[in-house]
Amino acid sequence: MQGSGQKDGSQLLERLISDEESEEVKVDTVDPKWNILDLIKLALCWALTLTTSTLLTTVGPLAAKKIGASDILAPFTIGTFLIGAAVSSVPSGPLFRKYGRYGGFAVGCFFQIAGSVSGMFGMLLGTQFLLFLGCFAVGMGQGLGQFYRFAAVEISPPDFKSRAVTYVLSGGIIAAFLGPTSANYSVGLIHSSKYAGSFLIMGLIGIVNWLTLYSVNFPKKDETLSPANPLLRRRSVYEIVSHPVFILSCTVATIAHTVMVAIMSNCAISMDDDYSFRTTSLVLELHFLAMFLPGFFTGKLIQDYGTFNVCVFGAVMFAMSSVIFALGNDLWNYLGGMMVLGFAWNLSFSAGTIMLTTCYAPHEAADVQAINDFILFTVAGAGSLLSGVIYSQFSWAVLIYVSAVMMAINLLLFTVAWKMKSKFDSPEGTHKPYVDDECSIGDTDKESAADQGAYNRNISVASMSSITSAQNDERERVRSMSVA
C-alpha cells in the first residue's frame, strides 16, 4: 500500500516537471458573478490581514530597540510573529472543519485585534514582554489568514483556480502601500510613546477586516467529505509528510519564506544607521509591492509552464537578489535586492501553494494545509531568530551569504526531483495525485472496491482544473454510495 502511494505521488511529481496536457473532465459550474464578487472580498480580507503584517514588519524591530531590546532580540519581533502563525496552524484544521471558513477567519481577526492592544500597551509601558506577546498574537491571526488562498480555490470555478490563488495573494498590493504608509503616519500618533500609534492602527485594521469577512458567501460545508464519514479514511501525519509532492512543495515554500524573512527582518536595522525611517519605509514598501504585484500574471505563468518550472525560476531570482545585496550597502543595493527578493518569493510561494493542492483529497484539505503552514512558519520563525544572531555577531554581508547557501540547497532539491522523473516512469502514461486504494472505502463489498480501484486509476491531474474535476466526481461518487 505504501509503495503504491509512493509510486502515485512520484508519477504526479513527474507530471509537475513535464507539464503534459490532461484529458477534460466534466465539472459542476459555478456562478461566475457570485464567485468573482466573493473573490474580490477575499482579496480585500487578505490585504487587510497582510497590512497588519507589513506594518508590524516595518515598525516591529525598531519598536523593540526603542524600549531596550538588543540587536539580536529586536528582529525576533518578526520571528515571534511567525511562531504565532505556526502555533495557530496546529488547531486550524479542526477549527475550520467545525466552524467553517468564516468562523476560523473570525478567530484570526480577534487575535489580530488582541495582539494590537497588547503591543500598544507594551510600547506605552516600555514592557518588552507585552510587545512580543502582541507580536505573537498578531501572528496567530496571520496564520489563520494564510488560509484565504485556499478558500479562494474552494469558491472558484475549476478553470480559474490557479489564478484565484494568485489574485487573492495580489490583494497584498494594497498592503504593500498601506502598511509602510500607515507606519510613516502613525509612528508619532501617540506622542507619549513612539510606535504605540502603529499598534493602535493594527487593531483598527483588524476590525475592518472582520466587517469585510462577514460579507463573504462561503460554500456550505459538504458533510459527505467530513472526516466522520465512514466512507472516508484520513491519512496519518506520516503518510502525508512522506508524500513526494508534499515534500517538494512544502520545502520550496518554506525555504523561500525563511530566506525572505531572514533578510527582511534585518533590513530596517541594517539601514537604520545610514538612512532615514522614511527611506527605509520606501524600500520595504517597494519590496512588499514586488511580493504581490506579480500575482496578476503568476497564475498564467503557472498554467503555461507548470509549477515545477516556476519554482526553479523563483530560486534563480533569489540567487540574483543575493548578488545585488553582496555588491554593496548603497541605497540601490537595498532597493534592487529587496524588490528582486519580493518577486522571487511570489513565484516560489504561489507555485508551491498550487503544487500542494495536488497531493491531498478534498476531505484532507484542512489537515494537509495546517501541517504545511506549521512547518513553514516554525522554520521561518526560527530563521528570523537565527538571522538576528548572524547579523549581530557577524554582519549583513554574512547573512546574505548564508541566504545564498540556502538557495543553493533549494536548487539541489530541484535537481533530485528532476532525476526522480525517469526513476518513476508510469507504464500507463497517467499521472495521479495520491489516492489510496482504500482512501474512500469503509465496509464496502469487493465489487465497490474494484470500482474504486478503477476509478483511482483513471484520475488525471494535468492542471488545477482536472484536480478539482476529480474531486467533484469523488463527491458525487461518495454520495451515490451513501444512498446505496
Side-chain angles (χ1 to χ4, degrees):
M1 187 68 65
Q2 184 177 356
S4 174
Q6 184 181 15
K7 180 178 179 182
D8 287 344
S10 301
Q11 289 173 350
L12 174 58
L13 182 57
E14 176 192 350
R15 165 64 197 93
L16 291 169
I17 296 172
S18 60
D19 195 33
E20 299 170 355
E21 295 296 328
S22 67
E23 57 188 77
E24 294 292 330
V25 186
K26 185 178 180 181
V27 297
D28 297 334
T29 58
V30 179
D31 183 355
K33 293 183 179 179
W34 174 88
N35 182 269
I36 290 175
L37 264 177
D38 287 298
L39 193 63
I40 292 172
K41 294 174 186 176
L42 282 178
L44 184 56
C45 286
W46 169 244
L48 292 169
T49 301
L50 198 63
T51 296
T52 305
S53 173
T54 56
L55 179 52
L56 179 63
T57 300
T58 304
V59 304
L62 297 176
K65 284 192 69 176
K66 179 68 177 178
I67 58 176
S70 65
D71 284 346
I72 294 178
L73 194 59
F76 194 54
T77 50
I78 299 177
T80 307
F81 166 82
L82 291 170
I83 292 174
V87 169
S88 67
S89 68
V90 176
S92 62
L95 181 66
F96 282 116
R97 276 198 302 272
K98 185 172 183 178
Y99 299 105
R101 288 299 190 192
Y102 169 76
F105 291 138
V107 171
C109 292
F110 168 77
F111 279 121
Q112 181 180 345
I113 297 168
S116 302
V117 172
S118 178
M120 181 180 67
F121 278 101
M123 295 305 300
L124 290 172
L125 301 175
T127 307
Q128 294 183 31
F129 173 76
L130 287 178
L131 174 62
F132 281 92
L133 179 63
C135 293
F136 178 83
V138 171
M140 291 187 71
Q142 176 76 14
L144 292 170
Q146 288 289 334
F147 289 85
Y148 282 123
R149 68 191 194 272
F150 296 112
V153 172
E154 295 164 359
I155 71 170
S156 300
D159 59 348
F160 201 73
K161 292 188 180 292
S162 61
R163 294 191 183 187
V165 171
T166 54
Y167 284 175
V168 167
L169 290 179
S170 294
I173 294 173
I174 299 174
F177 291 107
L178 191 56
T181 301
S182 298
N184 275 324
Y185 288 100
S186 64
V187 165
L189 188 62
I190 298 178
H191 298 292
S192 59
S193 179
K194 191 176 182 180
Y195 302 114
S198 298
F199 286 92
L200 174 63
I201 294 299
M202 292 181 203
L204 296 176
I205 292 171
I207 294 174
V208 176
N209 194 357
W210 176 78
L211 293 174
T212 305
L213 174 70
Y214 186 75
S215 67
V216 178
N217 295 306
F218 291 101
K220 293 182 179 180
K221 187 167 63 173
D222 192 344
E223 296 298 334
T224 62
L225 297 177
S226 168
N229 191 322
L231 296 176
L232 300 175
R233 183 182 73 84
R234 291 173 62 190
R235 287 182 289 164
S236 67
V237 173
Y238 173 77
E239 287 179 282
I240 292 172
V241 301
S242 61
H243 190 278
V245 178
F246 178 90
I247 294 173
L248 180 61
S249 62
C250 184
T251 304
V252 165
T254 299
I255 293 180
H257 206 65
T258 301
V259 170
M260 189 271 293
V261 166
I263 296 175
M264 184 178 66
S265 299
N266 294 276
C267 180
I269 297 177
S270 178
M271 295 182 66
D272 190 41
D273 293 335
D274 300 321
Y275 301 96
S276 67
F277 179 76
R278 184 173 296 274
T279 301
T280 302
S281 297
L282 175 63
V283 170
L284 291 174
E285 185 174 292
L286 293 176
H287 165 68
F288 296 137
L289 182 64
M291 285 176 63
F292 301 107
L293 182 62
F296 286 112
F297 59 83
T298 304
K300 187 66 166 61
L301 283 177
I302 293 172
Q303 285 184 333
D304 290 346
Y305 300 102
T307 53
F308 185 89
N309 291 328
V310 172
C311 284
V312 172
F313 184 41
V316 172
M317 295 300 290
F318 268 112
M320 287 182 60
S321 71
S322 297
V323 172
I324 295 173
F325 282 126
L327 290 177
N329 292 327
D330 294 330
L331 181 59
W332 79 267
N333 296 110
Y334 287 110
L335 190 60
M338 291 300 289
M339 289 186 69
V340 175
L341 180 72
F343 180 49
W345 174 89
N346 181 279
L347 294 173
S348 299
F349 196 78
S350 297
T353 296
I354 298 300
M355 190 187 298
L356 179 71
T357 62
T358 66
C359 69
Y360 55 77
H363 64 283
E364 297 176 313
D367 291 326
V368 177
Q369 293 161 9
I371 293 171
N372 175 78
D373 281 8
F374 176 76
I375 295 172
L376 187 150
F377 288 118
T378 300
V379 174
S384 173
L385 177 60
L386 181 60
S387 70
V389 175
I390 294 173
Y391 172 77
S392 177
Q393 298 300 313
F394 298 97
S395 66
W396 170 257
V398 173
L399 177 61
I400 297 303
Y401 296 147
V402 172
S403 301
V405 170
M406 292 184 66
M407 276 301 107
I409 294 173
N410 204 16
L411 288 171
L412 180 62
L413 174 67
F414 286 119
T415 303
V416 174
W418 180 269
K419 290 183 178 180
M420 289 176 65
K421 174 176 179 282
S422 59
K423 181 178 179 181
F424 294 100
D425 280 334
S426 170
E428 297 88 359
T430 59
H431 311 284
K432 302 172 287 184
Y434 182 92
V435 185
D436 188 274
D437 286 347
E438 297 176 358
C439 181
S440 300
I441 299 177
D443 297 327
T444 57
D445 56 24
K446 293 182 179 181
E447 181 178 353
S448 297
D451 291 341
Q452 173 69 24
Y455 173 82
N456 291 342
R457 286 190 294 272
N458 286 301
I459 292 179
S460 178
V461 287
S463 65
M464 285 299 298
S465 302
S466 58
I467 294 165
T468 307
S469 302
Q471 292 174 344
N472 287 339
D473 289 346
E474 177 72 9
R475 292 188 182 96
E476 294 302 321
R477 192 189 63 78
V478 171
R479 289 192 188 100
S480 64
M481 290 176 65
S482 299
V483 172

